[in-house]
Amino acid sequence: IMSIILAMLGGYILVRFVVGIRPKLKKRLTVRFLAPLGLFAGFIDATGGGGWGPVATPALLSGGRLEPRKVVGSVDTAEFAVSAAASLGFLIAIGASGIHWGFALALLAGGLIAAPLAAYLVKIAPAYLLGVAVGVPELHHHLGPAGEDRARLVGDHGERAADAAVGEGDRG
C-alpha cells in the first residue's frame, strides 16, 4: 500500500512538473498538516531504515504551495533532527554494538561529500527539473523491477526487510 501511495504521488508530481500544471491552492501549510506528516514520515524512516524524504517531499510538492527548492531544503533540514533522534533511539535501544560502524562511517563520508553539491544544484536548478527529479525516482523505486516484490514483502512496514529479500542492488 505504501509503495502504491508513494508511486501515485510520484506520478502526479512528474505529470504536474512536465505538463506544467500549477495547483491554485491559497491555503498555507499548517501545523495540523505538517505535524502528522512529520510523525508518519519519521516513523517510516526509523522503522524502515529510510523514508523521511520519499514520504515528506512528494507530500509537500504535490500540494504546490512551496517552490520545489524550498520543499527539498525544508525536508532535508528537518531530516537532520529526525535522523539524530532516530540514531539516539537506536543507540539507547540496541547499544553501540548493534551498529556496524564501518558501514555508518563510509555512508557518512559519501554523504558529507555529496550533500553540499546536491544543495547547490537544488539552488540553481529550474523548478520543473526539481519536480521531475523527485517524481521519476518515486515511480522507479516503487514500481521499478523490484518494487512489486518489495511492496508484497514489506507492505506498510518500510523497506529494510525487502532490501534484505531482493538485494540492495535491485533498488535502482
Side-chain angles (χ1 to χ4, degrees):
I1 293 176
M2 175 60 71
S3 287
I4 293 168
I5 292 169
L6 292 176
M8 288 172 48
L9 275 172
Y12 171 73
I13 290 167
L14 183 61
V15 168
R16 193 181 127 212
F17 281 92
V18 169
V19 176
I21 299 169
R22 185 87 179 135
K24 294 181 176 32
L25 299 172
K26 295 181 179 163
K27 280 178 76 176
R28 295 179 52 105
L29 291 169
T30 64
V31 172
R32 287 182 66 180
F33 172 76
L34 294 172
L37 174 61
L39 180 71
F40 179 69
F43 180 79
I44 295 299
D45 186 68
T47 59
W52 173 262
V55 171
T57 303
L60 292 175
L61 271 180
S62 66
R65 296 176 184 149
L66 290 173
E67 293 177 55
R69 72 183 88 266
K70 290 183 179 180
V71 169
V72 171
S74 300
V75 168
D76 282 350
T77 301
E79 185 174 15
F80 173 76
V82 170
S83 294
S87 297
L88 182 62
F90 280 112
L91 282 170
I92 291 169
I94 64 174
S97 63
I99 295 169
H100 192 295
W101 291 103
F103 290 169
L105 291 174
L107 290 168
L108 178 63
L112 287 175
I113 294 167
L117 175 62
Y120 177 73
L121 291 175
V122 166
K123 177 184 176 185
I124 64 170
Y128 75 90
L129 186 59
L130 291 175
V132 171
V134 170
V136 169
E138 282 293 311
L139 282 173
H140 175 72
H141 178 73
H142 298 289
L143 296 179
E148 197 174 296
D149 292 334
R150 204 175 287 116
R152 186 178 65 249
L153 288 168
V154 181
D156 291 338
H157 302 294
E159 299 169 347
R160 185 171 295 153
D163 287 342
V166 299
E168 189 66 23
D170 294 336
R171 290 188 71 186

